[in-house]
Amino acid sequence: MSGTKGWTSGTDSGRGPAGLATLRNLVQLSRFDCVKLVEKRDNIGGVWYLDDPDLAIDEGNQRPRWPSPAYPGLVGNVLPEYLSFAGFPFPEPQTAPDEPFPSLQETQAYLQAFAKPFLDNGSIRLNVEVTRVEELPGEAGWNVVMKDWNEGLEGGEIMERWDAVVVCVGWHDSPSWPDIDGLEELRHKGLALHAKRWRGAEGFENKRALVIENQNATVDMATSLSRLCQTPIYRNVLHTNSIARLDDSRIEDILHVKHVRSRLGASYTQHQIDFGTIQEESDKIVVTLEDGTEIEEIDVVFVDTGYRPHADIVSVFVPNDATQSLVPLPSLIAPTDTHHRIPCLYRHILYTYNPTLAFIGAATASLPFVIADLSSLWLALTWNGEIPLPRTPDDRMLYERELLVEIESKHRDEMGRGVPSSSTYSTLGERETQFAADLRRDVVLARPEKGKVLLQWDEGLEKAKKGMFSAKLRALEWAKIKRSMIVCEGNGIPLSD
């Protein structure tokens, strides 16, 4: 690809680290003459960049904003050595060893330091949103349409042709909601809130709350709410996840939620009562559990069920269609296919039918920084021709087809009946170690020197990941004691040794 232009895009508010790692690897290792990262927000960092979710418009320059799910007080659950891009170690947190996990501010500072040379040389374009990526005929590259929000509320439209595109977006502009009867109505009433908009428990004093799912943010939400809301805080765990959390008598785990409804909704349907006159008195939630138990007088439901991968901005030619009709990439998923994903990707990275389109971060990982670094390193060497690809699109499509069969088998028992499973196409989960080990093997075969700086994805790393769980529990206990001491000091209660 010598003499071509290459382009890597962090176009959404999610995968800031993925875009930065990809930019570095393509600049340093690929044969492209020009590589740019495009970010629609006013700073790098993606999910690690704290912004105000209620500030839809920047009053100073009338520029749209896209808040990330970051919230004050956020502390990660991955140790620094597993957040470090190759050759760029993550500094030890100031709170170590008591709290060895980096804070939101420390993580953003690390990403800013990593990005600084690319910001300084103009490789990163801020406040520029990619709105369309369209495949061009004759393998002529990609038409990329952008909005330059540096030019005000309307934005200035830019259209450019690029030889290759990497979509490094996270999925945090596309929240996933569980399929619970009545939840959609609560969303429209503002009684059900996604974790994407969580900024703390303030404003929910003395409320009765239900928290759904068991992600890291859910633990923070339930704990914070328990200090200000009426207790218990009800917590509904949809899947069994290895999330570190302390026992808390103020939080009650409940069975799966079968149905939710607001009393106002029922009253309005039956009696056509004016919404505004009875909202304060009657807009409470009734929660029905799968065993028929009802929990009444709930004020708000918080949902932390993650995010859905989306590639709506990308349009491609219909595969094996001589008319070369452009269609949105997600439309290549059959209507009967229930596996939500970015379709037709070889190893979750390369678009099968035109490998000049790639995605970094298409499947979520427990160690997202190092997975993004390794994936984009593999991509750079593949585009160089140093790592061979399966020869035909059909050969490359085998990866997706076989993986779908494997995942589907985990959702069925020996009799073919549906069984609960947390295995999904868009989450690496238990496949993560093998996925990364395969990429690492390819990279080291092409560039043996990389074996000295890349993590070994083996049993030792699996043990280290389990060790992080124990370390997180110790850190949570330390933080709990620290908070108790601060409260005691504030109340004038003498502290014990």
Side-chain angles (χ1 to χ4, degrees):
M1 290 186 177
S2 178
T4 62
K5 292 197 297 182
W7 179 77
T8 177
S9 168
T11 59
D12 261 351
S13 62
R15 295 250 176 206
L20 293 173
T22 303
L23 175 65
R24 190 270 300 266
N25 286 329
L26 289 180
V27 167
Q28 293 185 353
L29 297 170
S30 77
R31 300 174 184 174
F32 293 123
D33 295 330
C34 175
V35 181
K36 298 286 185 181
L37 184 145
V38 181
E39 167 59 55
K40 71 181 180 183
R41 302 171 75 198
D42 61 0
N43 205 343
I44 58 90
V47 70
W48 296 98
Y49 172 42
L50 181 62
D51 204 353
D52 186 345
D54 298 318
L55 189 59
I57 299 292
D58 184 327
E59 295 180 358
N61 61 18
Q62 299 298 295
R63 180 181 54 78
R65 306 185 73 89
W66 298 268
S68 86
Y71 50 91
L74 173 62
V75 176
N77 65 334
V78 178
L79 292 171
E81 54 263 47
Y82 304 111
L83 291 170
S84 299
F85 297 133
F88 197 85
F90 198 115
E92 183 178 72
Q94 294 181 356
T95 50
D98 299 304
E99 173 56 273
F101 296 90
S103 67
L104 171 67
Q105 292 78 10
E106 289 169 326
T107 305
Q108 174 65 2
Y110 171 79
L111 295 174
Q112 287 281 358
F114 184 84
K116 187 178 185 307
F118 303 107
L119 288 165
D120 290 346
N121 67 20
S123 295
I124 298 175
R125 300 157 70 175
L126 298 175
N127 298 322
V128 179
E129 177 193 9
V130 175
T131 57
R132 297 200 310 276
V133 176
E134 300 169 332
E135 188 173 7
L136 293 173
E139 299 184 351
W142 300 85
N143 181 48
V144 180
V145 181
M146 295 170 273
K147 281 272 192 177
D148 185 348
W149 293 110
N150 294 294
E151 299 186 14
L153 183 60
E154 298 300 322
E157 186 168 273
I158 304 170
M159 186 179 297
E160 298 176 349
R161 188 197 70 81
W162 291 86
D163 296 292
V165 173
V166 191
V167 183
C168 299
V169 300
W171 318 122
H172 294 90
D173 281 343
S174 182
S176 175
W177 292 81
D179 186 17
I180 295 176
D181 187 32
L183 187 61
E184 186 68 19
E185 178 189 354
L186 297 190
R187 288 179 59 188
H188 288 301
K189 291 178 178 294
L191 301 177
L193 306 174
H194 197 276
K196 175 177 171 58
R197 296 187 63 82
W198 173 259
R199 291 301 183 273
E202 291 73 17
F204 297 98
E205 291 84 353
N206 299 316
K207 301 295 185 182
R208 281 167 57 82
L210 164 67
V211 180
I212 296 177
E213 203 16 294
N214 189 25
Q215 303 291 334
N216 289 300
T218 312
V219 176
D220 287 346
M221 286 192 293
T223 302
S224 298
L225 289 167
S226 68
R227 302 183 195 123
L228 295 180
C229 292
Q230 295 183 43
T231 57
I233 302 300
Y234 296 100
R235 180 170 56 198
N236 173 212
V237 179
L238 296 182
H239 299 293
T240 302
N241 294 318
S242 298
I243 302 298
R245 57 189 173 100
L246 301 176
D247 291 334
D248 192 327
S249 61
R250 302 167 299 179
I251 301 172
E252 180 179 334
D253 288 318
I254 60 175
L255 296 171
H256 287 189
V257 174
K258 180 180 179 181
H259 176 79
V260 291
R261 72 178 191 275
S262 72
R263 290 197 325 212
L264 175 61
S267 299
Y268 181 83
T269 300
Q270 296 171 14
H271 306 295
Q272 299 298 299
I273 299 176
D274 178 69
F275 183 91
T277 61
I278 63 172
Q279 180 177 7
E280 186 68 26
E281 177 183 351
S282 301
D283 214 0
K284 298 286 186 177
I285 301 166
V286 179
V287 178
T288 304
L289 306 184
E290 61 182 6
D291 66 352
T293 301
E294 288 193 345
I295 303 173
E296 299 186 346
E297 301 297 315
I298 296 294
D299 295 290
V300 62
V301 175
F302 292 96
V303 174
D304 182 22
T305 45
Y307 303 84
R308 287 185 178 273
H310 61 94
D312 298 344
I313 63 171
V314 179
S315 293
V316 297
F317 296 130
V318 176
N320 305 315
D321 184 352
T323 64
Q324 292 196 312
S325 302
L326 280 175
V327 296
L329 178 57
S331 71
L332 299 186
I333 300 176
T336 56
D337 190 334
T338 59
H339 297 280
H340 198 93
R341 64 191 186 278
I342 307 298
C344 307
L345 297 188
Y346 174 65
R347 296 174 84 164
H348 292 294
I349 299 173
L350 281 173
Y351 177 53
T352 293
Y353 297 101
N354 185 344
T356 60
L357 172 67
F359 291 80
I360 300 297
T364 58
S366 66
L367 302 181
F369 283 42
V370 291
I371 285 285
D373 193 17
L374 177 59
S375 298
S376 57
L377 174 56
W378 180 91
L379 173 64
L381 298 181
T382 299
W383 273 350
N384 284 355
E386 298 177 56
I387 295 175
L389 286 175
R391 189 174 59 85
T392 69
D394 279 347
D395 292 339
R396 295 190 288 269
M397 276 298 295
L398 280 177
Y399 181 89
E400 179 184 86
R401 292 173 184 144
E402 292 176 353
L403 183 52
L404 287 172
V405 170
E406 175 187 333
I407 291 170
E408 190 63 33
S409 69
K410 295 181 179 180
H411 289 261
R412 302 283 175 182
D413 63 15
E414 294 179 354
M415 303 296 293
R417 295 169 298 196
V419 295
S421 174
S422 60
S423 180
T424 70
Y425 189 93
S426 296
T427 301
L428 291 178
E430 62 188 19
R431 308 191 310 271
E432 183 172 317
T433 296
Q434 190 60 55
F435 170 80
D438 290 344
L439 295 181
R440 187 186 189 278
R441 180 199 62 225
D442 289 353
V443 167
V444 173
L445 282 174
R447 298 281 184 104
E449 70 276 11
K450 293 296 181 182
K452 299 177 182 179
V453 296
L454 294 176
L455 283 177
Q456 286 280 3
W457 292 82
D458 53 19
E459 291 183 2
L461 183 56
E462 284 298 303
K463 291 180 181 178
K465 289 166 69 174
K466 293 178 181 177
M468 279 194 284
F469 180 88
S470 300
K472 186 64 177 181
L473 284 176
R474 292 192 296 270
L476 289 172
E477 189 63 47
W478 172 81
K480 180 179 179 181
I481 294 171
K482 183 180 179 182
R483 283 194 304 269
S484 299
M485 296 174 65
I486 292 173
V487 170
C488 290
E489 285 182 326
N491 291 333
I493 300 174
L495 301 178
S496 59
D497 294 334

